[in-house]
């Protein structure tokens, strides 16, 4: 039986026993009582939320996009002010006017997208705004290096504080962000999707570090869509749905299936009907040969070769920043650099084709950044959804666009893809992240492509939207399209792919045709560059 510890509109003073010694009321470091947030346009982001956070616990907050998680964290961190309700911190009611107020009070936040200057050293990044001074005027860098080195040692972070941020791997940058909060003496640390760019090994290291923070009395607020990780690391879990609290649960009282149902309101059906799959002989729809990009004599892409067949998903695993973005841009025709090598679609050389000609040849593209390259935020859903095929005869009436046909086509796709929208004329930027992504997927699949490039297709979106998008990609594969799935989410790559290749430092370092027995740990070694397959093994990526 699920034991609910906090529900809205109930007394939050229930005692909670976690480890030896347990918790009581004195251990509550942060309490939210009936928090409501209504924006000027009438949108209710949070409604009557009551939850407490205990000293020395890892407390996860889960929910779909638009569930109100981000708004609640912004209220805690002083970025937003609540419309109603009380925030009590260390026993005192507080109303932060800015994030600086929250930081000074001992609350820190590590954002999903790091806020670091590449040209700064680690020490400079950590002390920024709180620099030790010599003679009250000049920054004492010797003292700064000493203080930040001691801080890193205290928390067992193996990092050279004299190195520049631009020279660090992603996992080290994350450590710098955490050290920034600790330097400011944060008792409460908010982590927003902290594992989204980490390998399995780096994630395990992070979790070991978080466990040490907990033992030292820090409170961790862990925001994540990855329920397996939430279960692994949490003491308690708060579910949010539709701007309201769905309750706070002890980790041991819920499993992933229960959490999923609490989050999306139904059971998640993750199996796909393989009986509908076309298993006819393979035929290459995309062939990439010796793709090479150099920057200042350094290989950004180093002789990348592989092929995608009809009726399959070829997954590309790797930590972000190892050439995947440059590879995708070269394939779809967006590359700013002149790439060496050859790209073929359905047997035709398209290396010198424009983006439009590549699309006409059968290529579609779900970009990594739905706001920057996937959509025009100020335009309507209708304008965005036809933007790659607006010149179809069915959408044109003489020299003018056929308004009714566009409206009807958009309305059909809104219904087919379960996009939560008021009208095809609605500005796309007003939708949630998951619904914006559905618009992008609807547009790209509506062209019936031979080959789909899906780059981080479910990045930052909720379980329900991810499930829906995965089903669309599976249906495309079953209908004989070839799909190149590029994702930093290892679970996504492993669950969706028929074959997998791994990229590291601009190279393909591993290729797996048979995925039976393949583990996250195995892939992680290649993603970190600890192992590399032989050239003979890698040839299969192009010829299988």
């Amino acid at each position: 039986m699920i034991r609910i510890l906090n529900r809205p509109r109930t007394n939050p003073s229930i005692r909670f026993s976690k480890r030896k010694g347990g918790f009581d009321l004195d251990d509550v470091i942060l309490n939210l009582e009936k928090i409501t947030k209504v924006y000027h346009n009438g949108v209710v982001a949070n409604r009557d939320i009551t939850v407490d956070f205990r000293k020395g616990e890892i407390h996860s907050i889960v929910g779909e996009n638009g569930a109100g998680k981000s708004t609640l964290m912004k209220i805690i961190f002083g970025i937003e002010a609540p419309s109603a309700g009380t925030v009590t911190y260390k026993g005192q009611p507080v109303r932060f006017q800015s994030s600086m107020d929250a930081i000074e009070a001992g609350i820190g936040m590590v954002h999903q997208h790091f806020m670091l200057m590449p040209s700064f050293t680690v020490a400079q990044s950590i002390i920024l705004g709180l620099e030790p001074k010599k003679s009250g005027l000049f920054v004492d860098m010797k003292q700064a290096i000493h203080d930040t080195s001691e801080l890193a040692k205290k928390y067992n972070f193996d990092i050279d504080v004299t190195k520049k941020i631009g020279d660090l791997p992603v996992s080290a940058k994350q450590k710098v962000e955490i050290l920034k909060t600790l330097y400011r003496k944060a008792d409460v640390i908010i982590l927003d999707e902290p594992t989204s760019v980490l390998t399995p090994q780096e994630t395990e290291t992070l979790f070991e570090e978080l466990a040490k923070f907990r033992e030292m009395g820090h409170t961790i607020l862990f925001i994540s869509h990855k329920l397996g990780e939430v279960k692994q690391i949490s003491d308690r879990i708060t579910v949010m749905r539709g701007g309201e609290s769905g309750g706070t649960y002890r980790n041991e009282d819920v499993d992933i299936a229960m959490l999923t149902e609490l989050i999306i309101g139904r059971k998640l059906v993750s199996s796909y009907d393989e009986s509908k799959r076309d298993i006819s002989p393979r035929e290459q729809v995309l062939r990439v040969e010796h793709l090479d990009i150099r920057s200042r004599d350094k290989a950004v892409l180093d002789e990348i070769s592989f092929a995608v067949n009809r009726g399959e998903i070829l997954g590309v695993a790797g930590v972000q920043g190892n050439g995947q973005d440059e590879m995708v841009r070269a394939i779809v025709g967006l590359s700013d650099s002149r790439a060496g090598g050859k790209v073929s679609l359905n047997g035709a050389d398209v290396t010198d084709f424009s983006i439009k000609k590549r699309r006409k040849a059968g290529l579609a593209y779900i970009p990594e950044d739905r706001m920057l390259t996937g959509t025009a935020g100020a335009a309507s859903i209708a304008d965005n959804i036809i933007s790659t095929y607006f010149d179809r005869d069915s959408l044109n009436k003489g020299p003018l666009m056929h308004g009714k046909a566009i409206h009807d086509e958009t309305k059909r796709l809104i219904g087919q893809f379960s996009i939560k929208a008021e009208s095809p004329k609605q500005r796309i930027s007003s939708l949630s992240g998951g619904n914006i992504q559905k618009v992008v997927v609807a547009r790209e699949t509506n062209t019936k492509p031979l080959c789909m490039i899906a780059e981080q297709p479910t990045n930052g979106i909720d379980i329900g939207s991810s499930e829906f998008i995965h089903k669309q990609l599976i249906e495309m594969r079953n209908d004989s399209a070839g799909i190149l799935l590029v994702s930093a989410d290892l679970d996504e790559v492993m669950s969706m792919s028929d074959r997998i290749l791994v990229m590291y430092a601009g190279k393909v370092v591993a290729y797996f045709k048979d995925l039976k027995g393949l583990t996250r740990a195995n892939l992680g070694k290649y993603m970190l560059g600890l192992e590399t397959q032989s050239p003979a093994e890698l040839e299969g990526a192009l010829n299988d």
Side-chain angles (χ1 to χ4, degrees):
M1 183 177 182
I2 298 174
R3 185 169 164 218
I4 301 174
L5 302 174
N6 282 9
R7 274 206 188 274
R9 307 176 183 87
T10 61
N11 188 342
S13 63
I14 300 170
R15 292 170 67 89
F16 170 63
S17 179
K18 182 187 74 167
R19 297 187 298 270
K20 185 177 179 181
F23 284 126
D24 59 30
L25 271 175
D26 293 336
D27 296 304
V28 174
I29 189 170
L30 176 67
N31 182 69
L32 309 182
E33 179 74 23
K34 295 188 176 181
I35 295 294
T36 293
K37 175 65 180 181
V38 183
Y39 286 101
H40 65 277
N41 59 1
V43 172
V44 181
N46 293 147
R47 181 184 285 107
D48 207 18
I49 294 175
T50 296
V51 60
D52 63 48
F53 303 96
R54 314 293 175 88
K55 183 176 176 62
E57 77 165 339
I58 298 176
H59 193 133
S60 290
I61 298 93
V62 298
E64 293 188 278
N65 288 99
K69 303 186 304 295
S70 295
T71 301
L72 196 65
M73 294 306 106
K74 288 176 181 177
I75 288 171
I76 292 171
F77 195 52
I79 297 172
E80 299 278 4
S83 305
T86 304
V87 178
T88 302
Y89 179 61
K90 295 184 178 179
Q92 298 295 321
V94 295
R95 197 172 183 88
F96 299 134
Q97 300 300 313
S98 69
S99 57
M100 287 306 299
D101 288 348
I103 290 167
E104 288 176 12
I107 298 175
M109 185 168 182
V110 177
H111 298 271
Q112 183 176 357
H113 302 291
F114 304 146
M115 298 182 179
L116 298 168
M117 295 289 290
S119 60
F120 277 27
T121 65
V122 171
Q124 287 172 324
S125 301
I126 293 171
I127 66 168
L128 186 63
L130 289 174
E131 298 90 347
K133 298 290 179 66
K134 281 190 294 189
S135 307
L137 294 173
F138 305 103
V139 176
D140 188 341
M141 278 310 302
K142 184 177 180 181
Q143 186 65 44
I145 291 169
H146 173 270
D147 291 349
T148 53
S149 294
E150 289 301 308
L151 183 69
K153 287 176 187 175
K154 177 181 176 181
Y155 289 96
N156 295 313
F157 277 15
D158 182 17
I159 191 166
D160 182 351
V161 300
T162 64
K163 276 195 170 183
K164 287 192 174 181
I165 296 295
D167 296 329
L168 299 179
V170 173
S171 59
K173 291 176 184 176
Q174 187 178 68
K175 288 181 180 180
V176 176
E177 287 282 20
I178 294 172
L179 286 170
K180 278 170 58 180
T181 69
L182 296 170
Y183 183 75
R184 287 153 180 78
K185 304 188 186 309
D187 294 308
V188 176
I189 303 173
I190 303 169
L191 298 178
D192 185 10
E193 298 285 350
T195 66
S196 60
V197 294
L198 302 184
T199 66
Q201 288 86 347
E202 289 168 335
T203 297
E204 287 299 321
T205 300
L206 173 65
F207 285 179
E208 289 171 7
E209 290 159 352
L210 295 185
K212 290 171 186 171
F213 294 169
R214 175 176 57 191
E215 290 168 8
M216 297 173 77
H218 295 285
T219 299
I220 310 295
L221 277 55
F222 186 83
I223 320 300
S224 180
H225 289 302
K226 299 180 180 180
L227 297 187
E229 293 180 357
V230 167
K231 282 289 297 172
Q232 181 182 346
I233 194 67
S234 307
D235 296 302
R236 294 190 297 158
I237 303 165
T238 292
V239 177
M240 293 191 64
R241 190 173 168 203
E244 298 183 346
S245 170
T248 297
Y249 306 85
R250 294 193 309 181
N251 190 1
E252 58 265 36
D253 287 341
V254 288
D255 59 20
I256 290 176
M258 292 175 186
L259 280 175
T260 300
E261 193 167 351
L262 286 165
I263 290 168
I264 66 176
R266 60 180 173 81
K267 292 184 183 296
L268 187 68
V269 181
S270 58
S271 59
Y272 306 106
D273 189 355
E274 290 290 326
S275 66
K276 295 181 180 178
R277 185 176 182 186
D278 181 357
I279 53 173
S280 57
R282 293 289 176 258
E283 181 182 315
Q284 291 184 355
V285 291
L286 173 68
R287 187 176 176 88
V288 175
E289 299 173 83
H290 308 296
L291 196 59
D292 192 87
I293 295 178
R294 304 274 159 175
S295 176
R296 297 177 183 176
D297 296 324
K298 182 181 178 182
V300 178
L301 282 182
D302 192 356
E303 297 287 323
I304 297 286
S305 296
F306 62 87
V308 179
N309 300 318
R310 277 186 180 274
E312 76 160 2
I313 296 177
L314 176 65
V316 179
V319 177
Q320 285 178 276
N322 279 280
Q324 303 97 312
D325 183 55
E326 290 82 1
M327 176 189 73
V328 168
R329 291 177 66 84
I331 292 170
V332 301
L334 285 168
S335 181
D336 297 328
S337 307
R338 179 71 177 95
K342 181 179 177 182
V343 178
S344 301
L345 277 170
N346 209 30
D349 185 350
V350 299
T351 308
D352 296 320
F353 278 21
S354 65
I355 295 172
K356 185 174 182 178
K357 285 187 72 176
R358 292 183 198 218
R359 284 189 170 276
K360 292 286 186 185
L363 189 67
Y365 174 43
I366 300 171
E368 175 183 10
D369 192 326
R370 53 184 165 269
M371 297 308 298
L372 183 64
T373 52
T375 58
S380 68
I381 297 170
D383 288 343
N384 276 281
I385 220 162
I386 66 160
S387 60
T388 61
Y389 52 86
F390 63 88
D391 54 353
R392 282 183 185 173
D393 292 341
S394 62
L395 302 180
N396 289 273
K397 193 176 183 180
L400 304 175
M401 301 298 293
H402 194 320
K404 186 177 185 306
I406 293 170
H407 181 275
D408 291 347
E409 178 78 348
T410 306
K411 200 168 182 181
R412 178 184 69 81
L413 291 170
I414 286 174
Q416 181 183 334
F417 283 79
S418 303
I419 298 165
K420 293 179 182 177
E422 296 171 3
S423 156
K425 295 180 180 179
Q426 185 176 347
R427 182 180 290 193
I428 196 167
S429 60
S430 67
L431 303 183
S432 70
N435 283 297
I436 293 172
Q437 192 72 349
K438 284 182 180 180
V439 171
V440 174
V441 174
R443 177 186 68 212
E444 297 304 311
T445 57
N446 199 36
T447 63
K448 306 295 182 190
L450 295 171
C451 181
M452 170 71 81
I453 312 296
E455 186 181 19
Q456 318 291 347
T458 61
N459 183 36
I461 65 174
D462 55 71
I463 301 166
S465 298
S466 296
E467 176 205 23
F468 185 89
I469 289 170
H470 285 165
K471 282 185 175 179
Q472 301 305 311
L473 295 176
I474 291 289
E475 286 178 12
M476 288 185 66
R477 181 202 69 177
N478 291 352
D479 288 339
S480 295
I483 297 172
L484 181 67
L485 172 63
V486 182
S487 178
D489 185 339
L490 204 45
D491 291 330
E492 181 171 58
V493 172
M494 293 184 72
S495 65
M496 293 284 290
S497 303
D498 299 294
R499 297 185 292 139
I500 292 176
L501 56 85
V502 183
M503 288 186 66
Y504 175 76
K507 297 180 180 181
V508 173
V509 295
Y511 165 66
F512 300 93
K513 180 180 181 180
D514 184 0
L515 306 188
K516 289 179 182 177
L518 185 62
T519 67
R520 290 168 54 88
N522 293 147
L523 283 175
K525 292 176 184 177
Y526 293 101
M527 290 167 67
L528 289 169
L530 302 176
E531 292 186 14
T532 304
Q533 289 181 352
S534 69
E537 290 174 295
L538 297 175
E539 282 180 9
L542 185 63
N543 300 315
D544 281 340

